[in-house]
């Protein structure tokens, strides 16, 4: 795999999320990396191997001891020793403590200002961190491609632009020959993982129609995505044409060039053409040799610069739709992200605040941009919103969209855009562009087209953070099962489920980044959130885990109708998801579900952030899969911004749906923290925060709401949620119970007021009458029994 003039070849299994369900069946042979140019291999005597190749492929060096950059999970023994203790797997002996910890919900422990210390981005990056992450070597920078990809992976190249000499069946047709396309679990369906020729000879080809005169500069190849088959191309030729009748081969001097292909099924292999590359409309990839135990199968991307057609008087119609927004459309590594965030705070210092919620395993800070009219503090009644991106470091589009979003809000706020001004003044917004900065840096160094499907997905410790949060679903369902078997509701709890004891230990298999996000959740009372991913086009909502460990099964929350509304809001306003003519990304057609799906009904995920957020906090969270291409080329970022801009804004506005209010002490008017807000017929409660304010997301309708708090009498009222884009205010004032008032008075050494004395006297008389009545009833029954005998 090319990176900065150097070819790094390591095995990368890179399974898709759908394939994860079949990991128990997944078995492959890891081949040694055999890099052979047209003249073979030459040992340099210093542990490196030099590749001699044709003029079209640059001379490269492969070092066996290069730092780990494959997509296989890294060895934790290589982790930096100065960081916190490496994660270790949980033992089964600790799980028996889970149910016992659910008997009492936790008390709120956050402070009233709900803020983190401001980060000074003028300070340099720690030298030790800089040395660990960036070695100042050429391969640390992504390869600068002369021309961008045509768009086989991103689907800009349509199915009708792809042809082949033959194909085994529809599921292995030319439309499946796209870089990084993922197969389903089963071979033989219409969603297989490559183009595969019907015949095994050197006359087979895959053809791409660029539709315009194009200066082709290179080809990227992968083998077949499959958990059952092992197919890839070893060598291939390339031909060009303007009419598909006459074909001109790519030449190496006076001979037809033969290019090196793959050594495994997943690692992308790049071949660059020489400077006098042919300008044509069509390009063919013609396999010459393939893995001996496999067949002719490939996935491809083509690099090329489109040229204006002098014969086309309607060339203006071919101009691709971009965006009018003046934003920084490129991929930003950690250093560049810091600079961009700093520039936004300098442009809009009155509405922005940068803070860090923690550090990654390699020591990179996890920066958050806060946007509010009073940044740095929580305002009574103002909801808190968050976007999180980059949980999987190689899913880079979400990172860039959040960086674009903070620039856009700053610019539009200064221009007086009333929609943005209202959003900033009425909402406290938190944007975390990179939850997994270590993983992103690994993928970024390879480049958007050469990172493959899974390089950078995991944390540096090899942890998939989307499976790394505490499994509170199990705690809840175990409690329900206990109640069913013992008819004991004391352990039932439907909200604020505490984290099991084993999960909080230093030895728990929990990433440092996950711990930082959990602490962030516990310190700020978020109301609504979305977790931005990539590799598909769909919005998923909780629950993400099935109750009985089925591979997939619809597992709704008590708030299912509102979650479906949230998912629909984003999907229906996304320009690509809402396009009825779009083709499926990989192996699922989500259009039949209107581009939304219950997470567990797609594939079960234990320990997801969505489920944890719903069960441990007041926050509703969904996952947005933004694009078929996890790491789109920089040239596609303006289009992706335009596809998602309205969705990002309108989703944030949903934080103002439902009810909000303040729960106060009737006598003192002080806010009551930790009050439980129960909506009739919805078996999921929320709690008020330190100042007594609360937010309950609900669809339009009339609801019976009951509020209770320790030491207070419950209060119930009817609250109507309207269709307008603002919440219904539903305040509560609670009166202390006589017992609580008595306790507080006696604690202060004071005398009881007359009304409380009268109330206590009435209670005593009531108890006396009840006990007297019970005694008389027992005596009467005994007398009747005596007379009968």
């Amino acid at each position: 795999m090319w990176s900065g003039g150097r070819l790094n070849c390591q095995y990368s299994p890179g399974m898709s999320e759908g394939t994860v369900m079949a990991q128990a069946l997944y078995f492959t042979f890891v081949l040694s990396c055999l890099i052979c140019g047209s003249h073979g291999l030459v040992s340099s005597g210093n542990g490196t191997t030099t590749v001699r190749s044709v003029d079209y492929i640059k001379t490269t060096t492969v070092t066996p001891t290069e730092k780990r950059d494959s997509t296989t999970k890294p060895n934790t023994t290589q982790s930096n020793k100065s960081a916190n203790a490496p994660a270790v797997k949980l033992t089964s002996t600790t799980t028996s403590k889970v149910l016992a910890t659910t008997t009492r919900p936790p008390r709120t422990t956050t402070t009233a200002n709900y803020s983190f210390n401001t980060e000074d981005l003028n300070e340099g990056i720690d030298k030790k961190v800089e040395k660990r992450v960036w070695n100042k070597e050429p391969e640390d920078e992504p390869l600068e491609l002369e021309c961008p990809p045509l768009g086989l992976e991103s689907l800009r190249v349509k199915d009708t632009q792809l042809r082949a000499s033959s194909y085994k069946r529809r599921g292995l047709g030319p439309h499946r020959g796209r870089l990084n396309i993922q197969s389903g679990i089963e071979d033989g369906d219409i969603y297989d993982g490559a183009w595969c020729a019907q015949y095994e000879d050197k006359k087979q080809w895959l053809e791409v129609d660029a539709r315009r005169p194009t200066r082709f500069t290179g080809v990227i190849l992968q083998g077949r995505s499959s958990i059952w088959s092992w197919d890839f191309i070893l060598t291939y030729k390339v031909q060009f044409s303007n009419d598909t009748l006459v074909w001109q081969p790519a030449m190496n001097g006076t001979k037809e060039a033969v290019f090196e292909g793959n050594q495994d099924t997943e690692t992308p292999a790049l071949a660059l053409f020489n400077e006098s590359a042919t300008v044509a409309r069509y390009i063919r990839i013609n396999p010459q040799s393939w893995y001996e135990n496999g067949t002719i199968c490939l996935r491809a991307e083509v690099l090329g610069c489109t040229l204006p057609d002098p014969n086309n008087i309607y060339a203006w119609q071919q101009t691709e739709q971009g965006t009018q927004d003046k934003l920084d459309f490129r991929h930003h590594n950690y250093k560049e992200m810091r600079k961009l965030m700093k520039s936004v705070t300098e442009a809009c210092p009155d509405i922005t605040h940068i803070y860090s919620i923690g550090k990654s395993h390699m020591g990179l800070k996890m920066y958050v941009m806060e946007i509010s009219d009073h940044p740095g503090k929580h305002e009574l009644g103002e909801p808190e919103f968050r976007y999180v991106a980059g949980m999987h470091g190689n899913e880079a589009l979400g990172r860039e969209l959040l960086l674009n979003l903070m620039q856009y809000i700053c610019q539009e706020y200064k221009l007086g855009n009333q929609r943005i001004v209202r959003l900033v003044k009425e909402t406290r917004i938190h944007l975390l562009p990179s939850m997994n900065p270590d993983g992103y840096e690994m993928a970024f160094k390879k480049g958007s087209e050469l990172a493959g499907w899974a390089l950078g997905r995991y944390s540096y410790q090899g942890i998939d953070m989307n499976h790394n949060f505490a499994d509170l679903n199990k705690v809840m369902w175990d409690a329900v099962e206990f109640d069913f078997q013992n008819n004991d509701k004391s352990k039932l709890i439907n909200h604020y489920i505490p984290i099991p004891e084993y999960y909080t230990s230093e030895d728990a298999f929990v990433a440092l980044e996950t711990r930082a996000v959990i602490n962030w959740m516990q310190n700020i009372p978020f109301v609504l959130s979305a977790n931005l991913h990539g590799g598909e086009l769909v919005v998923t909502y909780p629950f993400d885990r099935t109750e009985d460990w089925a591979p997939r099964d619809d597992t709704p929350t008590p708030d299912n109708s509102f979650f479906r509304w949230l998912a629909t809001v984003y999907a229906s306003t996304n320009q690509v998801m809402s396009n009825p003519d779009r083709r499926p990304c990989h192996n699922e057609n989500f259009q039949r579900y209107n581009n939304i799906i219950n997470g567990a009904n797609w594939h079960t995920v234990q320990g997801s952030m969505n489920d944890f957020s719903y069960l441990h906090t007041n926050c509703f969270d969904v996952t947005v899969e933004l694009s078929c291409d996890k790491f789109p080329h920089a040239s596609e970022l303006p289009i992706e911004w335009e596809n998602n801009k309205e969705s990002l804004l309108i989703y944030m506005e949903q934080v103002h749906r439902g009810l909000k209010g303040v729960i106060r002490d009737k006598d003192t008017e002080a806010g009551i923290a930790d009050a439980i807000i129960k909506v009739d017929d919805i078996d999921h409660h929320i709690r008020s925060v330190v100042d007594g304010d609360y937010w309950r997301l609900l669809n339009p309708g009339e609801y019976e709401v009951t509020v209770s708090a320790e030491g207070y009498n419950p209060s119930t009222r009817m609250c109507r949620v309207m269709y307008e884009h603002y919440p219904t205010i539903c305040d509560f004032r609670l009166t202390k119970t006589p017992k609580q008032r008595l306790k507080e008075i006696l604690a202060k050494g004071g005398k009881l007021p007359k009304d409380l004395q009268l109330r206590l006297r009435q209670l005593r008389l009531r108890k006396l009458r009840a006990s007297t009545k019970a005694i008389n009833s027992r005596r009467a029954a005994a007398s009747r029994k005596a007379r009968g005998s």
Side-chain angles (χ1 to χ4, degrees):
M1 185 159 57
W2 284 87
S3 178
R6 186 163 292 198
L7 187 62
N8 301 323
C9 183
Q10 294 187 355
Y11 175 63
S12 306
M15 294 185 296
S16 68
E17 286 84 352
T19 309
V20 170
M21 296 183 293
Q23 283 181 345
L25 301 175
Y26 184 83
F27 178 74
T28 60
F29 294 98
V30 181
L31 299 179
S32 302
C33 292
L34 303 176
I35 310 298
C36 301
S38 60
H39 302 292
L41 300 176
V42 179
S43 173
S44 64
N46 60 357
T48 65
T49 304
T50 302
V51 180
R52 293 178 181 172
S53 62
V54 297
D55 294 341
Y56 300 96
I57 308 179
K58 299 179 181 179
T59 301
T60 62
T61 302
V62 180
T63 306
T65 57
E66 281 183 326
K67 59 184 176 299
R68 180 190 52 75
D69 62 350
S70 75
T71 58
T72 52
K73 296 185 180 181
N75 189 340
T76 58
T77 61
Q78 298 175 357
S79 303
N80 184 275
K81 295 180 180 178
S82 64
N84 287 8
V88 296
K89 294 184 179 179
L90 299 175
T91 60
S92 58
T93 57
T94 61
T95 58
S96 60
K97 300 179 182 178
V98 174
L99 189 59
T101 63
T102 66
T103 55
R104 293 184 61 189
R107 297 288 294 177
T108 303
T109 58
T110 53
T111 57
N113 64 350
Y114 299 113
S115 65
F116 288 74
N117 293 331
T118 302
E119 282 291 326
D120 183 5
L121 295 187
N122 290 312
E123 295 181 356
I125 301 171
D126 185 277
K127 296 298 182 184
K128 293 181 180 179
V129 173
E130 196 165 21
K131 185 176 180 180
R132 284 200 299 267
V133 181
W134 303 281
N135 291 330
K136 304 294 185 182
E137 295 183 9
E139 70 269 22
D140 284 341
E141 293 298 325
L143 177 66
E144 290 286 342
L145 299 175
E146 183 182 358
C147 290
L150 295 188
L152 275 77
E153 181 178 9
S154 67
L155 303 186
R156 278 197 300 172
V157 172
K158 307 302 181 186
D159 288 352
T160 53
Q161 294 174 249
L162 301 174
R163 290 200 311 149
S165 53
S166 65
Y167 54 91
K168 286 189 172 183
R169 49 184 167 77
R170 175 164 173 75
L172 294 169
H175 65 293
R176 301 298 293 176
R178 300 172 180 271
L179 189 72
N180 284 321
I181 201 165
Q182 301 297 299
S183 68
I185 297 175
E186 299 179 5
D187 282 0
D189 60 14
I190 62 172
Y191 300 118
D192 221 315
W195 161 66
C196 291
Q198 183 177 2
Y199 309 106
E200 293 188 19
D201 58 48
K202 295 183 179 182
K203 297 180 180 180
Q204 304 306 307
W205 45 261
L206 176 69
E207 179 185 297
V208 181
D209 177 6
R211 288 187 173 173
R212 302 190 217 179
T214 301
R215 184 167 64 87
F216 295 107
T217 59
V219 169
I220 303 172
L221 243 56
Q222 279 177 317
R224 178 180 176 182
S225 168
S226 173
I227 62 174
W228 306 104
S229 303
W230 186 260
D231 304 307
F232 53 88
I233 302 303
L234 295 174
T235 60
Y236 62 98
K237 296 180 179 180
V238 175
Q239 294 100 32
F240 310 99
S241 177
N242 286 314
D243 56 11
T244 71
L245 299 176
V246 178
W247 290 89
Q248 175 68 37
M251 301 296 291
N252 175 31
T254 59
K255 297 181 179 180
E256 189 171 357
V258 177
F259 298 95
E260 297 295 330
N262 301 104
Q263 300 299 320
D264 60 61
T265 59
E266 288 297 332
T267 306
L270 169 66
L272 294 174
F273 308 149
N274 65 8
E275 294 181 358
S276 58
T278 304
V279 173
R281 173 173 169 174
Y282 301 92
I283 183 172
R284 278 182 178 177
I285 300 169
N286 173 213
Q288 296 297 296
S289 63
W290 44 94
Y291 176 57
E292 61 181 351
N293 294 324
T295 188
I296 299 176
C297 294
L298 64 84
R299 294 174 286 168
E301 182 62 87
V302 175
L303 307 178
C305 297
T306 55
L307 305 177
D309 185 352
N311 300 317
N312 183 8
I313 62 174
Y314 302 108
W316 61 272
Q317 292 181 340
Q318 293 181 317
T319 303
E320 226 166 37
Q321 184 73 26
T323 179
Q324 300 297 319
D325 299 322
K326 306 301 182 184
L327 308 175
D328 188 3
F329 294 115
R330 61 193 175 98
H331 286 291
H332 299 77
N333 65 9
Y334 179 76
K335 296 177 182 179
E336 292 163 343
M337 182 185 73
R338 280 168 46 99
K339 291 178 182 178
L340 186 146
M341 295 178 74
K342 180 174 179 287
S343 70
V344 173
T345 59
E346 289 172 346
C348 295
D350 295 336
I351 63 168
T352 59
H353 167 226
I354 295 177
Y355 62 92
S356 170
I357 62 172
K359 293 182 180 180
S360 70
H361 184 82
M362 293 294 286
L364 302 181
K365 291 186 176 181
M366 301 166 66
Y367 291 113
V368 176
M369 173 69 77
E370 178 193 338
I371 303 176
S372 170
D373 59 338
H374 292 91
K377 67 176 183 179
H378 172 75
E379 296 180 73
L380 187 71
E382 185 171 284
E384 309 262 358
F385 177 91
R386 73 169 182 258
Y387 272 132
V388 176
M391 171 182 278
H392 295 143
N394 63 330
E395 295 169 14
L397 179 57
R399 176 191 182 104
E400 297 308 321
L401 287 178
L402 292 193
L403 294 178
N404 293 153
L405 181 62
M406 59 183 72
Q407 295 174 78
Y408 177 80
I409 291 176
C410 173
Q411 292 175 9
E412 294 300 306
Y413 184 86
K414 292 171 70 175
L415 292 173
N417 181 326
Q418 286 305 297
R419 182 185 188 185
I420 300 302
V421 170
R422 183 170 60 251
L423 190 61
V424 171
K425 288 188 174 182
E426 296 178 355
T427 319
R428 191 181 181 203
I429 303 165
H430 305 258
L431 308 178
L432 173 61
S434 187
M435 181 177 166
N436 182 5
D438 295 349
Y440 177 82
E441 292 300 316
M442 283 189 278
F444 177 82
K445 289 173 186 177
K446 289 296 181 185
S448 60
E449 307 312 306
L450 299 176
W453 183 251
L455 176 64
R457 173 186 176 89
Y458 305 102
S459 74
Y460 190 86
Q461 296 168 287
I463 299 172
D464 186 336
M465 285 182 268
N466 200 36
H467 300 252
N468 196 224
F469 288 79
D471 183 7
L472 303 183
N473 306 63
K474 182 180 187 306
V475 175
M476 177 181 65
W477 290 326
D478 283 353
V480 171
E481 182 66 21
F482 182 87
D483 167 55
F484 178 78
Q485 294 179 356
N486 300 279
N487 195 26
D488 179 3
K489 297 184 182 296
S490 63
K491 290 181 172 58
L492 284 180
I493 186 170
N494 66 12
H495 71 293
Y496 271 46
I497 298 177
I499 299 173
E501 183 180 339
Y502 72 84
Y503 187 88
T504 60
S505 70
E506 291 184 5
D507 293 335
F509 192 53
V510 184
L512 299 178
E513 297 87 344
T514 308
R515 294 179 190 270
V517 170
I518 290 175
N519 181 64
W520 186 38
M521 291 178 173
Q522 293 174 330
N523 277 278
I524 294 181
F526 293 112
V527 179
L528 180 61
S529 174
N531 185 13
L532 307 183
H533 285 247
E536 257 300 349
L537 279 167
V538 68
V539 183
T540 72
Y541 52 90
F543 288 122
D544 288 333
R545 186 199 144 175
T546 57
E547 186 171 356
D548 57 0
W549 290 107
R552 57 190 301 170
D553 187 31
D554 188 34
T555 311
T557 67
D559 286 284
N560 191 57
S561 62
F562 193 80
F563 272 117
R564 289 182 58 83
W565 165 258
L566 290 173
T568 301
V569 163
Y570 199 102
S572 63
T573 54
N574 181 281
Q575 292 187 14
V576 180
M577 291 187 199
S578 59
N579 180 2
D581 298 323
R582 76 171 180 89
R583 57 151 285 171
C585 290
H586 297 286
N587 49 59
E588 290 269 6
N589 183 5
F590 290 108
Q591 285 185 294
R592 56 182 176 166
Y593 307 115
N594 294 318
N595 303 300
I596 70 171
I597 192 170
N598 173 260
N601 203 26
W602 180 14
H603 56 266
T604 186
V605 175
Q606 179 186 14
S608 76
M609 187 163 79
N610 291 356
D611 289 2
F612 178 86
S613 182
Y614 182 70
L615 294 174
H616 186 65
T617 74
N618 289 336
C619 186
F620 287 28
D621 206 341
V622 304
T623 291
V624 182
E625 299 283 350
L626 295 162
S627 171
C628 300
D629 189 348
K630 287 185 175 184
F631 205 140
H633 189 268
S635 62
E636 297 178 4
L637 294 178
I639 302 168
E640 293 292 0
W641 164 252
E642 203 61 33
N643 289 340
N644 287 277
K645 178 173 69 174
E646 177 61 23
S647 304
L648 291 167
L649 294 174
I650 199 169
Y651 185 84
M652 284 194 287
E653 292 169 339
Q654 303 314 301
V655 76
H656 298 285
R657 287 248 178 215
L659 303 175
K660 79 170 187 178
V662 182
I663 301 168
R664 302 182 188 274
D665 185 300
K666 186 177 181 181
D667 298 325
T668 65
E669 290 296 313
I672 301 174
D674 213 26
I676 297 174
I677 297 92
K678 175 185 176 182
V679 178
D680 196 34
D681 295 330
I682 300 179
D683 189 22
H684 180 79
H685 311 334
I686 64 164
R687 300 200 182 197
S688 62
V689 297
V690 168
D691 294 322
D693 43 347
Y694 77 94
W695 306 264
R696 184 52 166 102
L697 299 176
L698 292 166
N699 284 323
E702 191 166 4
Y703 299 93
E704 181 181 290
V705 182
T706 300
V707 173
S708 59
E710 186 177 343
Y712 290 88
N713 293 309
S715 176
T716 300
R717 58 176 296 190
M718 300 300 295
C719 303
R720 181 185 294 273
V721 177
M722 310 301 289
Y723 284 89
E724 287 78 4
H725 287 279
Y726 54 82
T728 298
I729 297 176
C730 200
D731 294 329
F732 288 83
R733 282 171 171 75
L734 304 185
T735 58
K736 290 188 176 71
T737 62
K739 183 178 180 180
Q740 180 66 23
R741 293 178 64 192
L742 175 61
K743 186 186 299 183
E744 293 177 1
I745 292 170
L746 294 178
K748 295 178 182 179
K751 294 182 179 180
L752 297 180
K754 291 184 178 180
D755 64 326
L756 187 55
Q757 292 179 17
L758 178 61
R759 183 73 185 275
L760 289 173
R761 190 177 300 117
Q762 290 173 341
L763 288 174
R764 293 192 189 101
L765 288 172
R766 192 179 303 163
K767 287 183 179 180
L768 179 61
R769 292 191 188 106
S771 60
T772 302
K773 184 177 180 181
I775 292 171
N776 290 338
S777 297
R778 287 197 298 270
R779 288 176 176 173
S783 178
R784 288 193 297 272
K785 186 177 180 179
R787 286 197 298 270
S789 60

